[in-house]
């Protein structure tokens, strides 16, 4: 750094915080370390007695933290995102829409393995709302070599590290199974739970059919909803291995390709996911979805609504982080459940 006259400081980077003090009125930082001096700043600096400043010497091979943070943010930013103003060398990335947030974790780790820079994000595959903070970027020192930032650009390539996928599936059909519900021996308390969860994503329930524990009737109900062209079919109840539980077999015989019957998530082990030839998803929801606040259904639903097809391998990965701790007060989604 070097000492220069303030009137000659335009374009230079201040090396230290500058504080204004007026007795009994104010004590505040008016210029922070890293600030790039502009012509408009000169009168204010002189008015608080700063005739000289310590500044970084400009170097064509170096970037200031604000410039570098902008490049890091640019490597992350995708459609449906906005950037905050740079503050203290940091830029935040904000979602412009409700959707499914995804991170290219492998490339993110490649960037964070480099020296003197960082990108911090939310967990991948999470539901986010418009206005939610997605990530923050900055370099660690005040200035950084340009060649280090060039490495980041190469890692980023032409595909940003982050994306928010808008929800595309907007209608659903529900098949409620069970003799006890069909014959009105008990009240159907499952369907209202599903409707409430779907409402959070602005998904309209366009069909609801209640059937007994008879395979052919379950299959027929699934196809009635399929013919009604709903975007998603949900079957509730009858998902265990009891002799009266016909739902898994009915979904299979309806013609859906079963991705998995069973998931390494608790609650939600007896979950079933399949797709028809036209990519319409069908789920078999175990009873835990009715009474547990967060289950496998909450983890999979945002992906399905964003039209992101879920594979067997992706379900297998969900075992890491797939154990709900049954806290006395549930804080989902602000907890470890479903986080990889």
């Amino acid at each position: 750094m070097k000492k220069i006259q303030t009137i000659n400081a335009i374009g230079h980077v201040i090396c230290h915080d500058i504080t204004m003090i007026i007795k009994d009125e104010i004590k505040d930082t008016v210029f922070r370390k890293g600030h790039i001096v502009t012509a408009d700043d000169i009168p204010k600096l002189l008015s608080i007695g700063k005739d000289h400043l310590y500044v970084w010497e400009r170097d064509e091979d170096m970037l200031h933290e604000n410039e570098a943070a902008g490049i890091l943010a640019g490597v992350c930013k995708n459609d449906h995102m906005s950037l905050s103003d740079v503050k203290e060398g940091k830029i935040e990335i904000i979602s412009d829409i409700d959707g499914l947030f995804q991170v290219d974790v492998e490339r993110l780790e490649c960037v964070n393995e480099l020296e003197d820079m960082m990108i911090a994000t939310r967990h991948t595959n999470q539901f986010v709302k418009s206005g939610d903070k997605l990530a923050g970027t900055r370099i660690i020192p005040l200035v950084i070599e340009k060649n280090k930032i060039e490495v980041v650009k190469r890692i980023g390539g032409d595909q940003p590290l982050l994306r928010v996928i808008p929800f595309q599936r907007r209608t659903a059909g529900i098949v409620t199974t069970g003799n006890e519900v069909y014959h009105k021996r008990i009240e159907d308390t499952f369907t209202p739970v599903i409707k409430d969860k779907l409402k959070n994503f602005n998904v309209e329930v366009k069909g609801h059919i209640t059937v007994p524990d008879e395979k052919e009737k379950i299959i027929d109900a699934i196809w009635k909803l399929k013919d009604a062209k709903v975007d998603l079919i949900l079957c509730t109840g009858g998902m265990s291995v009891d002799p009266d539980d016909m739902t898994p077999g009915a979904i299979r015989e309806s013609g859906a390709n079963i991705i998995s019957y069973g998931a390494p998530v608790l609650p939600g082990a007896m979950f079933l996911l399949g797709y028809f030839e036209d990519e319409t998803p069908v789920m078999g929801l175990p009873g835990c979805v009715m009474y547990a606040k967060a289950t496998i259904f909450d983890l999979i639903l945002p992906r399905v609504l964003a039209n992101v097809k879920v594979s067997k391998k992706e379900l297998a990965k969900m075992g890491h982080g797939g154990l709900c701790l049954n806290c006395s007060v549930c804080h989902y989604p602000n907890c470890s459940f479903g986080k990889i």
Side-chain angles (χ1 to χ4, degrees):
M1 64 183 182
K2 66 178 180 179
K3 179 181 176 181
I4 65 173
Q5 286 187 300
T6 298
I7 58 175
N8 298 324
I10 295 172
H12 286 276
V13 179
I14 298 175
C15 293
H16 54 94
D17 290 347
I18 295 176
T19 302
M20 174 190 289
I21 301 175
I22 301 175
K23 186 177 183 299
D24 299 327
E25 290 186 29
I26 188 173
K27 180 181 179 182
D28 193 17
T29 301
V30 288
F31 295 100
R32 295 193 177 277
K33 179 180 72 172
H35 178 75
I36 300 175
V37 180
T38 68
D40 291 340
D41 296 332
I42 301 300
K44 188 168 188 178
L45 286 163
L46 294 174
S47 73
I48 58 176
K50 301 301 178 184
D51 292 318
H52 295 84
L53 299 172
Y54 282 116
V55 297
W56 286 101
E57 292 192 75
R58 299 293 291 179
D59 186 330
E60 293 304 317
D61 295 325
M62 305 291 285
L63 286 174
H64 177 255
E65 61 177 351
N66 289 354
E67 298 171 286
I71 294 171
L72 288 171
V75 169
C76 296
K77 183 180 180 295
N78 211 327
D79 296 337
H80 314 303
M81 299 179 191
S82 300
L83 301 181
S84 72
D85 294 333
V86 63
K87 183 178 181 182
E88 299 177 2
K90 180 177 69 175
I91 294 177
E92 294 179 342
I93 302 166
I94 312 297
S95 179
D96 292 335
I97 63 168
D98 294 359
L100 176 71
F101 175 58
Q102 291 192 322
V103 181
D104 188 323
V105 177
E106 184 175 343
R107 287 194 295 148
L108 173 69
E109 290 174 352
C110 287
V111 172
N112 284 329
E113 285 174 1
L114 301 173
E115 292 183 350
D116 297 333
M117 64 192 73
M118 56 76 64
I119 300 171
T121 76
R122 287 175 176 251
H123 284 281
T124 190
N125 283 318
Q126 301 299 305
F127 165 47
V128 295
K129 294 184 177 182
S130 177
D132 280 352
K133 187 189 306 181
L134 305 177
T137 70
R138 70 169 304 153
I139 62 168
I140 308 306
L142 182 60
V143 292
I144 190 170
E145 296 90 339
K146 286 183 178 179
N147 59 10
K148 290 184 178 180
I149 295 299
E150 290 301 317
V151 176
V152 175
K153 291 180 180 180
R154 289 197 293 272
I155 292 172
D158 58 2
Q159 184 61 46
L161 272 60
L162 312 180
R163 64 175 181 164
V164 178
I165 308 171
F167 296 128
Q168 301 170 44
R169 298 188 180 275
R170 294 297 185 185
T171 62
I174 300 173
V175 178
T176 299
T177 67
N179 290 333
E180 68 278 21
V181 176
Y182 180 76
H183 293 295
K184 302 189 186 307
R185 298 169 190 158
I186 65 169
E187 180 184 356
D188 175 13
T189 55
F190 208 149
T191 302
V193 171
I194 301 303
K195 287 183 175 180
D196 283 345
K197 288 181 180 290
L198 293 174
K199 188 176 180 180
N200 289 333
F201 296 90
N202 295 316
V203 175
E204 178 187 1
V205 176
K206 293 190 70 175
H208 176 215
I209 304 172
T210 303
V211 293
D213 291 312
E214 297 177 26
K215 187 181 292 184
E216 292 303 321
K217 291 186 177 180
I218 299 172
I219 294 171
D220 182 62
I222 291 172
W223 269 100
K224 282 182 179 177
L225 295 174
K226 182 78 171 52
D227 290 340
K229 300 189 183 305
V230 296
D231 296 327
L232 167 65
I233 298 172
L234 302 170
C235 300
T236 68
M239 290 301 300
S240 75
V241 294
D242 292 344
D244 291 327
D245 289 345
M246 301 293 174
T247 306
I251 295 174
R252 189 181 302 275
E253 293 183 30
S254 70
N257 173 38
I258 306 303
I259 302 301
S260 180
Y261 174 33
V265 175
L266 291 172
M270 306 303 289
F271 171 78
L272 182 149
L273 175 65
Y275 292 89
F276 287 96
E277 283 189 6
D278 64 357
E279 303 298 330
T280 301
V282 56
M283 297 187 206
L285 304 182
C288 62
V289 177
M290 176 171 48
Y291 60 81
K293 182 175 180 181
T295 70
I296 180 67
F297 181 51
D298 300 279
L299 304 184
I300 292 295
L301 183 60
R303 306 187 203 192
V304 169
L305 296 181
N307 207 23
V308 173
K309 194 166 184 179
V310 180
S311 68
K312 175 75 170 179
K313 185 175 182 63
E314 287 169 317
L315 282 170
K317 288 181 178 179
M318 295 177 74
H320 181 209
L323 177 65
C324 175
L325 300 181
N326 297 312
C327 302
S328 56
V329 177
C330 181
H331 297 288
Y332 180 82
N334 299 318
C335 68
S336 65
F337 182 60
K339 308 297 193 302
I340 298 175

